[in-house]
Amino acid sequence: MRAIGTVDEIPPGEGRTFAVDGQMIAVFRLRDGSLRATQAVCPHKGGPLADGQIDRKQVLCPLHLNAWDLTTGCSLSGQPDLAVYPVHADDNKIILGDA
């Protein structure tokens, strides 16, 4: 487990990208306060997923509106799946890794 930032860095309903050991990770703060983490780059054309629109279950790439399930990383639009990472909050810190 590793702290990569603070929850306050991400407004509810948005995402931010964090560099972790040379890898870019997109962390999303859902409106219910829960967090999700995926690879930061769209596998289709390299769009910045943290800038995409999210709801409770999915993220849309801002470039071509391809969709992925935020929990499983499964594509909802025929693209390759995303890598997903376990993430949670602990005392306002974003912790990457299993609790």
Side-chain angles (χ1 to χ4, degrees):
M1 293 190 306
R2 178 178 181 174
I4 60 171
T6 64
V7 174
D8 292 342
E9 294 177 65
I10 311 172
E14 295 188 19
R16 293 290 183 269
T17 300
F18 296 88
V20 181
D21 295 332
Q23 187 174 9
M24 302 306 286
I25 306 290
V27 178
F28 300 93
R29 182 178 177 191
L30 280 59
R31 294 204 179 273
D32 68 1
S34 63
L35 301 173
R36 302 287 186 273
T38 71
Q39 68 187 61
V41 178
C42 171
H44 175 234
K45 293 286 184 180
L49 292 175
D51 294 341
Q53 293 182 345
I54 64 168
D55 65 11
R56 291 184 316 155
K57 294 187 173 195
Q58 63 183 346
V59 58
L60 298 176
C61 177
L63 296 184
H64 299 100
L65 303 180
N66 290 308
W68 288 269
D69 184 297
L70 279 168
T71 301
T72 65
C74 290
S75 175
L76 304 173
S77 55
Q79 298 300 318
D81 295 339
L82 298 178
V84 295
Y85 306 95
V87 64
H88 65 279
D90 183 16
D91 196 26
N92 197 42
K93 294 178 186 169
I94 299 169
I95 307 295
L96 194 66
D98 291 317

